[in-house]
């Protein structure tokens, strides 16, 4: 069987499973999540043994200099409480409110003609991610909870582990009324390429990984892509910045977890602060091991004060670079609007923060900066589904439609319009209009959050 | 200047106009709409003269057999109350509630740390449409009301008219604080191709036209596309259908306006009705001039009754064809689930209706049919933004993300997260966690629909 035929079969099976599942009450999806947890507990030993194989392969790659040690460490499912928190995650998702079946608009169009806009799953998701094997379980849980079928492709480094996790999920599903092809896994890039052609059966692609992964997928499919890209976030120290807040927010945004997409990569300093707040912020960053890449004016201010260790001149590229490490690019600006303009042209529209005591500057920054998160006196690191209170997150979207910023279960649903005539004759459009004897629409709001059928 | 450079300049100017507009209160956008109406009234004569030129060119095309008479008639801006309703449309949009600045989620994450999810425009829209020149004004009004900049490309048939309409819009904008490059028009396909590359500046493409237009655009850009495709809608006559409702709903769905995307193209008949309800429905359709394309069983039933005029056997292609005329494809099914299965594999997921008195069948149909609209005892023609009570519509989306079904102003906005620390020290993530002395998130709902800043 060719890759293409294989891919069509997988995609068709996913769509058929999705369609069948639409008639199953959502409570059975919750039950399925409990079954999955049970099954994972039952086959824990086999999975951790498979994980050891992945780790051995990975260790050989690290030894040969073909893989980083940090990637290796993310593969380890037996480390610390990783296994337990993976299982707890399934239970947590099961316990979240049902994102489907919620009414967001209800209107009586005419006597006995009721319209309901009801949230429902999107359909079939193709999720492509890298490395960490537990993502298989996370994503499967989110898909099942929101009523979507999913096809998952993990990194090849975690292949052995991911296959057993997928088997456990399918085996658990086979004990429920949810079709076992609801969650399927694929292993090869060729399968991904073939599936990206299947826009008839696949409704949304979610790549979780590097910017280059996201872009390459966007370029090769007409299926909508919900981009979970990296972040190039900035902190702006306004001329009205409180010095202590400036230090706290700049340091936390950079050093709390430098490899995260919500860590700051750029620090923008109002020129009025060059001889006051800026040197203190620089010292605090340097004390935490941060390397500064400075423009001429921020550099001169430090040189004049003999702050030279871990300080070097920036290049233009630095301001478009996600360092993802303890390095930060610094520039000075003459005004708030120059800061906003730099951010809008350089950032990845993820999250930006202003430090200021000036309410008007805060307001202008929050409206003028075109990013998914605009913060005041708070670390960029707050941009996260758990911290926002969503319970869990599918990822963080830097796209502009459907979902933006940290995406919770809400990002995995859409809605459909259900229209119900309760009249004795049914309802037809021809009776409405402006002529004599024609009916007018009533458009009376119905106050409900759940559909009555 | 090459098309590419030209396109980059247009796209950049649109993005700059969008960014500048974010600091302008939304009341000024409403004011701009009133100015546009005034300006259009002032230059009405010039516009109608230009429209006559377009009509003359089009008449020559019709005479040469290169254009349909129905397309010609849609170009005529002086016909009936078309001009007045175009102007009234601008006022109506101005008077709709502001879709921006609405809070859909607000939470106190910690003492003095408040998160608001606030609706905001998407950014820069590229809207590509065919023929009718007044769409320039409709779309410009919707874009301005929702705070989006827009680049518009109309059909070449209405070029003269569209250019003057665009000039009037720009001239009106120049009297306001909204940048005049907020709404720009382009004329050529080469410009469209070049703009589809500009994903850095353009955030959403909205093609309004044929399925082939939508697909060709989806294939040639990585910018998200909100598809406003045609519709292949079905009416299903369930075994528990009320005969009178069956006739009314089938006839209205087909004949009220056959060229519309929400007209029915397929009629599905439960086999129990073949010798009862079906012949009556067929007669009613035929009496309204409808041509029936029937499968073997629905055909046999009619032939047995000498109902043969305007009745012919169907081909498999008929069930995937949008007739957009007084033709309907008919098939019989043995069950509700066969009807759902036919719809899910053949329809364009626009709108489908069941005629039934069986509450359970209605519920299964509404959940099991995977379309933007699932109706009970009501004509598919109700699928429309005005009838739904949205005041106006951008189009009808058969996509699965962001917006589905008739799309009102809500479909032109997204949201951003604004996080505000009011604490005396600012807020940092490093203070939260599970260790000793670490803070926990509060996640207390804030009850508000508007952001306090």
């Amino acid at each position: 069987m060719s890759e293409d035929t294989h891919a069509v079969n997988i995609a068709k099976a996913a769509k058929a499973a999705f369609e069948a599942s639409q008639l199953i009450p959502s409570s059975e999806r919750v039950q399925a999540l409990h079954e999955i947890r049970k099954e994972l507990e039952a086959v824990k030993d086999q999975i951790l043994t498979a994980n050891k194989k992945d780790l051995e392969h990975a260790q050989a790659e690290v030894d040969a200099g073909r893989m980083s040690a940090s990637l290796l460490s993310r593969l380890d499912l037996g480390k610390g409480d990783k296994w337990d928190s993976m299982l707890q995650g399934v239970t947590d998702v099961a316990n979240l409110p049902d994102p489907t079946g919620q009414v967001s608009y209800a209107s009586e169009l005419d006597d006995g003609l009721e319209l309901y806009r009801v949230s429902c799953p999107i359909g079939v998701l193709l999720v492509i991610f890298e490395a960490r094997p537990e993502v298989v379980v996370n994503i499967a849980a989110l898909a099942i909870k929101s009523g979507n079928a999913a096809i998952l492709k993990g990194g090849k480094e975690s292949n052995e582990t991911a296959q057993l996790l997928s088997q456990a999920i399918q085996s658990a599903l086979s004990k429920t009324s949810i079709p076992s092809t609801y969650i399927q896994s694929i292993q090869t890039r060729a399968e991904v390429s073939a599936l990206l052609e299947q826009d008839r059966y696949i409704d949304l692609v979610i790549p979780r990984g590097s910017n280059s992964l996201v872009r390459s997928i966007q370029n090769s499919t007409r299926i909508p892509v919900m981009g979970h890209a990296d972040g190039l976030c900035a902190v702006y120290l306004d001329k009205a910045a409180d010095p202590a807040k400036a230090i706290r927010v700049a340091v936390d945004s950079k050093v709390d977890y430098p490899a995260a997409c919500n860590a700051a990569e750029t620090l923008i300093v109002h020129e009025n602060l060059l001889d006051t707040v800026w040197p203190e912020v620089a010292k605090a960053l340097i004390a935490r091991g941060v390397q500064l890449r400075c423009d001429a004016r921020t550099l001169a201010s430090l040189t004049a004060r003999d702050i030279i260790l871990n300080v070097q001149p920036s290049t233009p590229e630095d301001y478009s670079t996600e360092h993802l490490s303890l390095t930060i690019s610094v520039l000075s600006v003459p005004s708030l609007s120059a800061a906003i303009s730099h951010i809008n042209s350089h950032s990845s529209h993820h999250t930006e923060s202003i430090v200021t005591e000036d309410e008007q500057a805060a307001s202008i920054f929050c409206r003028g900066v075109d990013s998914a998160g605009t913060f005041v006196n708070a670390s960029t690191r707050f941009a996260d589904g758990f911290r926002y209170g969503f319970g869990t997150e599918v990822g963080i979207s830097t796209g502009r439609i459907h979902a933006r910023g940290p995406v919770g279960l809400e990002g995995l649903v859409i809605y459909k319009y259900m229209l119900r005539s309760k009249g004795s004759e049914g309802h037809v459009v021809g009776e409405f209009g402006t002529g004599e004897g024609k009916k007018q629409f009533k458009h009376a709001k119905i106050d409900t959050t759940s559909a009555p059928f």
Side-chain angles (χ1 to χ4, degrees), chain A:
Chain A
M1 190 162 59
S2 75
E3 288 297 353
D4 279 11
T5 320
H6 181 55
V8 172
N9 289 343
I10 288 174
K12 267 189 183 169
K15 190 62 135 190
F18 166 69
E19 287 174 359
S21 74
Q22 292 309 289
L23 298 177
I24 299 171
S26 62
S27 56
E28 305 217 10
R29 302 200 306 261
V30 172
Q31 190 48 43
L33 292 178
H34 295 313
E35 288 292 341
I36 287 173
R37 180 175 177 148
K38 265 195 262 171
E39 185 69 25
L40 288 170
E41 283 170 342
V43 294
K44 177 179 177 184
D45 290 348
Q46 291 96 303
I47 291 171
L48 290 184
T49 304
N51 189 235
K52 285 224 175 68
K53 274 194 229 164
D54 279 332
L55 287 170
E56 282 160 22
H57 293 150
Q59 186 62 54
E61 293 294 299
V62 172
D63 294 345
R66 287 189 295 262
M67 188 190 283
S68 71
S70 73
L71 182 59
L72 170 72
S73 124
R74 288 156 69 195
L75 289 178
D76 190 351
L77 203 52
K79 200 177 66 172
D81 64 351
K82 216 169 185 186
W83 174 266
D84 290 334
S85 43
M86 180 182 82
L87 293 188
Q88 187 54 43
V90 176
T91 305
D92 289 347
V93 169
N95 292 338
L96 285 173
D98 187 357
T100 67
Q102 304 298 314
V103 171
S104 56
Y105 182 85
S107 176
E108 194 180 24
L109 306 189
D110 185 29
D111 291 336
L113 184 63
E114 296 178 358
L115 178 71
Y116 295 86
R117 180 167 68 196
V118 187
S119 67
C120 63
I122 291 171
V124 176
L125 314 177
L126 172 60
V127 188
I128 300 154
F129 49 94
E130 295 170 336
R132 296 184 300 131
E134 71 272 24
V135 175
V136 173
V137 176
N138 297 345
I139 296 284
L142 292 166
I144 292 169
K145 177 76 186 184
S146 56
N148 292 283
I151 303 168
L152 313 177
K153 160 77 173 74
K156 64 177 185 325
E157 304 79 9
S158 58
N159 217 351
E160 301 275 347
T161 319
Q163 286 204 35
L164 286 201
L165 291 171
S166 301
Q167 278 171 28
I169 291 167
Q170 293 210 333
S171 156
L173 289 178
S174 70
K175 293 170 188 160
T176 72
S177 54
I178 312 274
S180 60
T181 49
Y182 210 61
I183 304 293
Q184 299 176 85
S185 286
I186 55 173
Q187 274 77 43
T188 69
R189 286 195 186 185
E191 289 170 309
V192 172
S193 300
L195 284 170
L196 290 175
E197 303 279 320
Q198 299 303 317
D199 60 319
R200 188 169 162 198
Y201 303 113
I202 297 174
D203 301 299
L204 182 63
V205 182
I206 307 181
R208 290 174 51 138
S210 64
N211 239 317
S212 61
L213 174 74
V214 176
R215 283 187 88 78
S216 102
I217 286 170
Q218 282 172 326
N219 281 339
S220 45
T221 186
R222 62 177 160 243
I223 306 171
V225 176
M226 185 148 74
H228 297 277
D230 294 330
L232 207 157
C233 304
V235 172
Y236 166 58
L237 308 181
D238 185 50
K239 68 179 171 187
D242 173 89
K245 291 182 186 175
I247 292 171
R248 275 165 54 83
V249 171
V251 168
D252 189 81
S253 296
K254 180 71 246 182
V255 312
D256 185 61
Y257 185 19
C261 63
N262 56 13
E265 306 294 356
T266 305
L267 181 65
I268 306 174
V269 181
H270 190 282
E271 60 183 16
N272 287 14
L273 309 184
L274 283 174
D275 292 313
T276 53
V277 176
W278 162 235
E280 300 306 313
V281 171
K283 280 192 272 183
L285 286 167
I286 292 167
R288 297 295 295 273
V290 177
Q291 308 265 343
L292 308 179
R293 303 269 176 92
C294 298
D295 72 343
R297 299 186 70 192
T298 55
L299 184 67
S301 157
L302 300 186
T303 318
R305 288 169 177 79
D306 279 337
I307 304 171
I308 48 175
L309 197 68
N310 290 334
V311 176
Q312 61 183 98
S314 62
T315 65
E317 293 69 45
D318 281 324
Y319 301 103
S320 309
T321 300
E322 295 179 62
H323 303 294
L324 295 171
S325 65
L326 282 174
T327 298
I328 195 163
S329 314
V330 188
L331 83 157
S332 64
V333 291
S335 65
L336 170 60
S337 69
I340 293 174
S341 172
H342 177 88
I343 289 171
N344 284 344
S345 56
H346 289 78
S347 99
S348 63
H349 309 289
H350 185 301
T351 301
E352 331 289 336
S353 183
I354 184 175
V355 180
T356 189
E357 298 300 302
D358 175 351
E359 188 55 34
Q360 202 193 348
S363 173
I364 290 173
F365 184 88
C366 286
R367 288 184 292 133
V369 167
D370 182 27
S371 295
T374 54
F375 293 4
V376 180
N377 295 330
S379 165
T380 55
R381 290 271 301 137
F382 281 107
D384 168 276
F386 169 72
R387 289 171 198 144
Y388 278 10
F390 301 165
T392 184
E393 74 177 26
V394 180
I396 295 193
S397 170
T398 51
R400 311 295 201 93
I401 64 165
H402 190 67
R404 196 182 193 196
V407 180
L409 280 173
E410 271 182 58
L412 296 182
V413 299
I414 183 71
Y415 49 77
K416 67 203 289 190
Y417 287 93
M418 296 188 178
L419 180 68
R420 186 74 62 117
S421 165
K422 298 174 168 176
S424 60
E425 301 183 297
H427 272 86
V428 297
V429 162
E431 295 179 343
F432 293 81
T434 49
E436 203 186 301
K438 294 283 189 180
K439 293 203 273 187
Q440 303 299 305
F441 284 97
K442 206 170 151 183
H443 293 150
K445 187 169 188 274
I446 299 172
D447 213 7
T448 179
T449 54
S450 62
F453 36 84

